[in-house]
Amino acid sequence: MAKELAIRTSGLTKRFDRHVAVNDVDLQIQVGEVYGLIGPNGAGKTTLMRMLAAAEEPTIGEIYINGVSLWRGLVPHRLLLDQSNSRLKRQLGYLPDDFPLYDDLTVWDYLDYFARLYCLREPRRSQRLREVLELVQLTHKRNSLIATLSRGMKQRLSLARTIIHEPILLLLDEPVSGLDPIARMQFREIVKVLQEAGMTIVISSHVLSDLAELCTSVGIMELGYLVESASLEQLYQRLSRQQIFLSTLGELDALKIELKNHPLVEDWEILSGQRMCVYFAGNQEDCALLLRSLVSASIPLTEFHCTQEDLETIFLKLGHKQAS
Amino acid sequence: MINWLDRLGDWNPQLMREIKGRLKPRNLLIASVISLVGQFLLFLLAQNKLPIAINNGLDSIQNKYCTGTSKYGDPKCLQDALGNFVINWQVWWLELFLWLSMIGVFALLVAGTYLLISDLAHEERRGTLNFIRLSPQSPENILVGKLLGVPILLYLVAVLAVPLHLWAGLAAHISLIRILSFYTVLLAGCFFFYSAALLFGLVSTWLGGFQAWLGSGVVLILLANASFRPIEGSLGDLLKLFSPSLILQYLIAATGLNPVFSFSYLRVQDLQWFSLPLGVGTLSVASSLLLNYGLWTYWSWQALKRRFPNPGKAVLSKRQSYLLVACFEVVLLGFAVAQKSSDELSVNFQILVAINLLLFLSLIVALTPGRQTLQDWARYRRQQAFSRNLWNRLLLSDLIWGEKSPALVAIAINLAITSAILVPWIVFSQDSHQLQAFLSLFISCNLTLVYAAITQLIMLMRTQKQALWVIGTLGAVIGLPTVIITFLSASPSKIPGLWLVTPFAGAAIEYASATTVFLALLGQWSILTLFTFQITITRQLKKAGESTSKTLFAADRGARNSYKF
């Protein structure tokens, strides 16, 4: 049985003047997924996120959140027009790329304020506040004024604010921009915990290594179009080639002759000196066979490292295709 | 205390947030000191006005608080057996009560308006309001929280002054029920002015920090006008009905005294609406004030409920604008015909046309959709229609009721509503200037449509600061002809034809010949047709509605042609 969809959009379009920021996007994200949205600046990621969070009206198109229509055609769905019906809003958590905070409040008061805005009642509210503070590692700062926090702490506090009401769909727009490596790592860990808690998460980011570690699926946006949307596994299968890095103490020509004889070797690149990168079509067992054949051919290998093209290479490759 | 605050926070999180941000010990101390020291200084000032014994001759001492008799000026001062002056303490307390009332009215309304507009501008500038918009709380809940919470320190200052105010009122023999009626009117006034301030704060973000001064400045002028200028039996009386101080005259009358600060010069008893005496007695003034506040507070909240969740939306829907205009015209007409006289048209009609011009300029700004909205409307509207007939029917209904359609038709309907209410007044008036009034109304309606078309044209342009462009252009179109004609010393009687293209056309109509009026109307229609043509057909809307592929193909064809050459 097919998994339930957390987000479904159909023909979603947003125009700013004659510029089409998001163009006819059909997006499907399953419940429980961590979906990475990547693309160059100005590709339409933020606009798409804002429309999914109901912070921006689409020009045309349909959005369904957990099967409930958020927007249809040119008119917003009844749920959004009727402000008293807050069910849909309680399901969404949105962290924009800028995160204005109230400097005059303490960390606890700020989260308490948002918990109340999302109708959390005692004793659940205090319990949730403690949980969230612990998750974002700000328990020791609970009585500090927000103005005194570092950028990383403010970002974590914003995330805490976004998840305070336990949304089932979390939209994070560039959540790690401007953070140092340690803060980024902390952020990744938090997102993993949230995923384990069953939230569907959509993250847009330029840090592709983070996304490769976190995401189950990835969408690539370019000039407002969603040019690719697939699970990370499928993407690697389809677009990522197996690479083997080889280094030898002997002549490269001897190595090349051996490689030419191997049917699964597609191409190679000389990197520097005695080192080369081989593009290989086989699986791990075929790799082992290749290594064995090279050793038996008395090639003095000092390095034999099997790997796959990473997300960044795939992204750059796709971008190259578009430009051509 | 904590339990109480906790329950308050559950009821209205926004109010609790404002309280927590503002009620810090330092702020509490400052507010309390301002209120108490202010009252103490006022008390000392009042004390200072009491008579002081002078050694050489008591007979010469006169003071308004003394009890003796005097033909001219203040009464003479009498002394009791112990040598103390006999003071009419009732008058003294009454004056203290009135000073406190006036300071309270001005401080609460002007400072409160400033605080609210400034707070909203600050939140909007920082982008923090967007998070609140995404929360499931209703706009009413958030805005009531703002309304009660932002001026909380001002409320504290006022509440601390209530005991002295109440004491002064009771000591001046004003009944408690009358003092409470003043408080009720003041509270209703605060609710109206604060609601209007919230609305102004939401729609005036483009003023970049100046809006708080502008808003509170307007309130100050309005209150000063209502507190110091008498009722004139004209349209201006409507503005006076926004001041809570109007009720003070009857509070003074209840004491049977005649203090210096008596407000009798306001002639509140003359206040009339459609021959209904609104100003006779405390009850009728209080209920008129409350009804007036209630009506405009209702409309402010209609706009707030639309605008707060969606800052891109027009302030009012077209449907709401029709009702608002009808409501406004009926209220206005009530004051225009209040004093039945044979020259009511010549006295009031031009003022009414000027007020209507202001109303319609605001409506044009409120209803005219921006470039983006119109582009979306023109581009994607056809996707909803399935047949040509339906398309035409939808177009008409869209122009009348639609959320994103151009505002020109809606403005025309609003003008028709206005005319429908004003024409019977002109027809049944006993004034001899009926024809002039009729033509004046017709010309001003045409001019308003031209202004609406200009605004729509500017909103379709690709400019950065559209609001400033609209204000600048409309200011130039409305003001420049008048300034130039005045500069040329061409009075309406000399060259009436020129005046007919200005908002002051009414002044020139009686001097203009039928041909001149006809030519002026023809000129207005030509300009209107030209602008409408420009908006719909020639480039703007049609171009906006074209599909992107058409533009692409056109660009492609252009490129091929240039390649050929």
Side-chain angles (χ1 to χ4, degrees), chain B residues 140-388:
Chain B
E140 292 95 322
N141 202 317
I142 299 289
L143 292 169
V144 164
K146 283 258 169 225
L147 204 139
L148 295 175
V150 173
I152 189 100
L153 289 169
L154 190 65
Y155 296 152
L156 178 71
V157 171
V159 165
L160 286 177
V162 165
L164 179 64
H165 185 255
L166 206 58
W167 181 263
L170 292 173
H173 296 180
I174 303 173
S175 66
L176 185 65
I177 192 94
R178 282 179 201 267
I179 300 175
L180 290 180
S181 70
F182 171 69
Y183 289 159
T184 312
V185 166
L186 183 57
L187 283 179
C190 283
F191 192 48
F192 161 69
F193 278 104
Y194 293 175
S195 307
L198 286 174
L199 182 60
F200 183 67
L202 283 179
V203 299
S204 63
T205 39
W206 54 274
L207 278 167
F210 175 62
Q211 61 267 51
W213 292 106
L214 183 66
S216 51
V218 168
V219 174
L220 181 67
I221 292 168
L222 195 129
L223 287 178
N225 173 55
S227 305
F228 303 112
R229 288 194 59 190
I231 299 290
E232 291 156 337
S234 72
L235 286 164
D237 294 350
L238 172 63
L239 294 179
K240 309 226 168 59
L241 214 49
F242 284 100
S243 169
S245 56
L246 220 59
I247 201 172
L248 287 175
Q249 186 187 330
Y250 286 104
L251 265 60
I252 299 162
T255 63
L257 297 171
N258 191 20
V260 180
F261 205 28
S262 72
F263 291 101
S264 56
Y265 58 87
L266 286 180
R267 296 206 303 271
V268 181
Q269 65 278 7
D270 292 347
L271 190 66
Q272 284 195 343
W273 186 72
F274 282 118
S275 308
L276 271 175
L278 301 186
V280 185
T282 317
L283 189 66
S284 83
V285 174
S287 26
S288 312
L289 283 165
L290 290 177
L291 276 175
N292 192 42
Y293 286 140
L295 178 66
W296 302 117
T297 308
Y298 167 78
W299 280 112
S300 301
W301 278 89
Q302 289 299 310
L304 279 170
K305 280 196 290 187
R306 261 178 72 84
R307 183 72 175 203
F308 179 75
N310 196 339
K313 251 185 184 173
V315 179
L316 288 170
S317 71
K318 292 190 171 71
R319 189 185 301 271
Q320 283 172 329
S321 80
Y322 305 143
L323 283 169
L324 173 71
V325 165
C327 189
F328 187 81
E329 293 303 328
V330 169
V331 172
L332 209 58
L333 188 63
F335 287 102
V337 300
Q339 307 241 314
K340 285 227 167 288
S341 64
S342 58
D343 60 350
E344 61 180 28
L345 270 186
S346 27
V347 171
N348 279 332
F349 198 77
Q350 289 317 314
I351 309 170
L352 191 134
V353 167
I355 294 175
N356 267 334
L357 181 72
L358 285 178
L359 166 75
F360 272 90
L361 287 178
S362 321
L363 261 188
I364 288 168
V365 174
L367 290 180
T368 306
R371 179 181 165 80
Q372 184 63 54
T373 313
L374 268 185
Q375 271 186 343
D376 293 348
W377 178 77
R379 173 79 178 82
Y380 293 103
R381 204 174 56 87
R382 67 193 69 195
Q383 294 191 3
Q384 288 190 320
F386 307 106
S387 69
R388 184 102 197 140

